[in-house]
Amino acid sequence: MLPAPGEPVHLLPRTLTAQTPDPVGAIRIALQGYQGEAPLSAMFAVATRVDAPAIRLTNAQWVIDAEEIGTALALERVTLVNDYTPVAASVAVLSEEKGDLAPIGSGHSATGGRVVLGPGTGLGAGALIPVEDRLAIVATEAGHIEFGPSTDEEAALWPHLERVGGRVSAEVVLSGPGLFRIAKAIAAHRRVDCPYTKPNDVLSAARDGDELAQTALDLFARWLGRYAGDMALTFESSGGVFIAGGIAPRMVDILQSGGFRDAFDRKAPHDAWARKVPVFVIVNPEPALQGLAAIVTNPGRFVFKSQGWVA
């Protein structure tokens, strides 16, 4: 909640999608303990392509209907954007000096486009592109591009990787479920039982010195570096690559240890350019909220695709 432009963001309680049949119920639960004035407008960042004023989430059963929400809550305006629109906007206000960012490697900050990506439940990706005196936000579905092996070792692993929709996309391996799939594939390739039941098990086991889990996490880091470098090339992001999501902040030391950056920089014939691109993990716990606040505080600074409803 942003009471007014320039004021601090007021965090509301989180509600799981499974707790209510629709977003209106979740919003009402979140607002129960809020003592300020009722909101006049709302902006929702949703994890799917935003191509209509009413859309279904990719990984949940909710339909986000701008008119239904606005009418039920007596709002003046409801805006829907892709979930990586505000994350991309956040890198215009987050900084290493404030402790929001952890650097990976020795790239040097420069002007130019910036890419934001994040492995979590899925794999989000977006770009922030300077256009004259404004910043254009490009929300993408780049998490669903095809992903493949680049070494004999990886090719041997590929038959054991679980397919989703018959494909191995970037999101299939570079996400929480993807980390679990990598660990299961390594175990299958070695013809041993996989001792884990969920992604957090892999992270915890790696911290405890488990060799299989460490191998899975190292491979995840290397593949994330390769993908991040590809996104840097795609968007000419000399201004940097910023990694958000729920996984990267929990493995900053592993991303900084070498495998990620080596894969990121290996972009011949453009490896010299890639080595100059700064990479950061976003360690601020709420980058999307910071980005939403930046957008609504200074809407003229940003250009982005949206859908919505006005009373």
Side-chain angles (χ1 to χ4, degrees), residues 3 15 28 71 97 99 115 120 174 176 190 193 196 216 231 246 254 260 283:
T15 303
R28 285 178 168 150
T71 301
E97 292 72 24
V115 164
L174 298 177
R190 295 179 177 181
D193 291 334
Y196 324 119
M231 291 298 102
I254 295 168
F260 173 98
V283 293

Side-chain angles (χ1 to χ4, degrees), residues 40-302:
L40 299 176
S41 63
M43 178 177 286
F44 293 92
V46 294
T48 189
R49 176 179 286 107
V50 177
D51 52 12
I55 51 179
R56 181 177 293 277
L57 296 182
T58 300
N59 295 316
Q61 296 303 310
W62 278 3
V63 172
I64 312 293
D65 187 322
E67 181 176 1
E68 179 182 299
I69 294 170
T71 301
L73 299 174
L75 301 174
E76 296 176 357
R77 179 185 295 105
V78 176
T79 303
L80 309 182
V81 298
N82 177 270
D83 60 335
Y84 261 71
T85 294
V87 180
S90 76
V91 302
V93 295
L94 300 179
S95 75
E96 187 178 355
E97 292 72 24
K98 292 188 294 184
D100 298 319
L101 308 171
I104 302 176
S106 57
H108 302 289
S109 297
T111 58
R114 285 165 275 185
V115 164
V116 181
L117 55 94
T121 305
L123 177 62
L128 192 68
I129 309 297
V131 181
E132 296 181 348
D133 61 344
R134 304 178 79 185
L135 295 170
I137 301 173
V138 183
T140 80
E141 293 296 331
H144 298 288
I145 65 175
E146 209 76 22
F147 196 84
S150 66
T151 66
D152 291 343
E153 175 191 14
E154 292 175 3
L157 201 62
W158 230 250
H160 304 289
L161 274 171
E162 176 188 351
R163 269 62 175 165
V164 176
R167 304 173 63 226
V168 177
S169 67
E171 181 174 275
V172 167
V173 291
L174 298 177
S175 59
L179 176 60
F180 186 40
R181 292 184 185 106
I182 292 171
K184 289 194 295 183
I186 294 170
H189 178 59
R190 295 179 177 181
R191 299 183 180 181
V192 299
D193 291 334
C194 182
Y196 324 119
T197 60
K198 56 185 182 298
N200 280 342
D201 293 346
V202 184
L203 284 164
S204 298
R207 295 299 184 192
D208 291 337
D210 182 89
E211 189 273 335
L212 193 155
Q214 289 177 337
T215 300
L217 215 56
D218 288 344
L219 189 56
F220 180 91
R222 191 162 74 237
W223 285 355
L224 182 60
R226 183 193 307 167
Y227 175 80
D230 287 345
M231 291 298 102
L233 284 174
T234 299
F235 291 100
E236 281 284 322
S237 58
S238 57
V241 173
F242 300 78
I243 304 175
I247 299 175
R250 299 169 61 191
M251 54 181 292
V252 171
D253 58 331
I254 295 168
L255 295 175
Q256 291 174 330
S257 66
F260 173 98
R261 189 74 215 200
D262 179 70
F264 183 97
D265 294 343
R266 192 169 297 188
K267 296 300 173 188
H270 300 293
D271 48 356
W273 176 87
R275 284 194 293 269
K276 297 178 183 178
V277 176
V279 181
F280 302 93
V281 175
I282 298 176
V283 293
N284 182 292
E286 299 291 352
L289 293 181
Q290 300 300 325
L292 285 171
I295 289 171
V296 300
T297 298
N298 191 1
R301 188 184 184 192
F302 300 96

